[in-house]
Amino acid sequence: MAEEIFDIVDENGQPTGETVTRSKAHAEGIRHRTAHIWVVRKNGDKTEVLLQKRAMNKDSFPGRYDTSSAGHIQAGDEPLESAIRELSEELGIQASPDDLHFAGTFPIQYEKEFHGKPFKDNEIAFVYVYDEEVGIDNLTIQKEELDSVEWFDLEEVYQACQPPRDEKFCVPMGGLEIVCKYVKADEREM
């Protein structure tokens, strides 16, 4: 299988015209784009978020709960088309462009070691919210990427990710804050 190729992007997530392989991007910390899709639902007076438990073979944060669905944006692709593809590949959700609500972007930048290798992440994440009805039993999860999915109370996840962070979760705070803000604004409009 050919290695993934990403657009190198500026601080706003706009492609510079240059590309980089996935391995080089993560070895050297070269900025690229990702699409993060947060599946949310109302349950009584609470908002819940569907989180995926990352597969144990993942190159970062194996076995921890993460964004509902997320993935790298391939060179030449647009964030929305990548978000639709990731939802389909990882969860089996067939979404249309109108089903996804763009909520914002945020930077992700960190250096850690996973599986004995350095991992330098430098991304601009494009955040989308999917609030159509989803039943866990109807999902087709991509076993290479994730072990399972589970509904969590959004506010409880937010609290658990405050320092000192509950190591059960690896959801990025930037994305979590964008989703919380989106949900609060959406509730005010109702």
Side-chain angles (χ1 to χ4, degrees):
M1 188 166 113
E3 186 170 10
E4 293 176 283
I5 306 291
F6 307 148
D7 288 314
I8 296 174
V9 297
D10 65 17
E11 61 278 354
N12 298 312
Q14 297 305 309
T16 64
E18 296 178 278
T19 60
V20 65
T21 62
R22 177 187 180 115
S23 59
K24 186 172 182 179
H26 289 151
E28 298 179 18
I30 298 170
R31 192 183 305 117
H32 54 284
R33 299 183 296 178
T34 54
H36 290 224
I37 308 90
W38 294 76
V39 178
V40 300
R41 72 177 182 187
K42 292 301 279 177
N43 188 0
D45 61 346
K46 295 186 181 291
T47 298
E48 293 181 329
V49 61
L50 185 72
L51 298 181
Q52 65 164 268
K53 186 174 184 184
R54 294 171 64 82
M56 291 307 292
N57 66 347
K58 293 297 289 176
D59 58 3
S60 62
F61 302 108
R64 291 172 59 185
Y65 283 96
D66 200 356
T67 309
S68 309
S69 179
H72 289 93
I73 298 172
Q74 305 303 309
D77 287 355
E78 290 301 321
L80 180 58
E81 71 180 302
S82 293
I84 290 169
R85 184 182 61 249
E86 289 299 329
L87 264 182
S88 175
E89 288 176 0
E90 291 186 354
L91 301 175
I93 295 173
Q94 304 307 314
S96 73
D98 291 340
D99 294 335
L100 293 176
H101 310 283
F102 179 68
T105 63
F106 70 99
I108 298 175
Q109 195 165 16
Y110 65 87
E111 291 185 31
K112 287 190 181 291
E113 187 175 294
F114 297 103
H115 307 292
K117 292 189 301 197
F119 187 92
K120 298 177 183 178
D121 208 7
N122 188 358
E123 309 175 354
I124 301 295
F126 288 73
V127 178
Y128 294 89
V129 174
Y130 180 83
D131 58 6
E132 301 295 316
E133 188 152 330
V134 171
I136 288 178
D137 295 338
N138 299 329
L139 297 178
T140 306
I141 64 171
Q142 185 180 21
K143 287 295 186 184
E144 306 83 47
E145 297 287 328
L146 56 145
D147 284 339
S148 61
V149 292
E150 190 175 325
W151 287 106
F152 290 89
D153 179 275
L154 181 62
E155 185 58 35
E156 288 175 13
V157 172
Y158 183 79
Q159 293 305 320
C161 291
Q162 298 300 315
R165 177 184 275 263
D166 181 337
E167 293 300 312
K168 173 180 181 175
F169 300 103
C170 67
V171 294
M173 276 308 291
L176 191 52
E177 289 170 348
I178 287 172
V179 170
C180 288
K181 205 177 291 181
Y182 176 90
V183 166
K184 283 184 177 70
D186 195 44
E187 288 170 351
R188 283 194 297 271
E189 290 174 10
M190 295 175 127

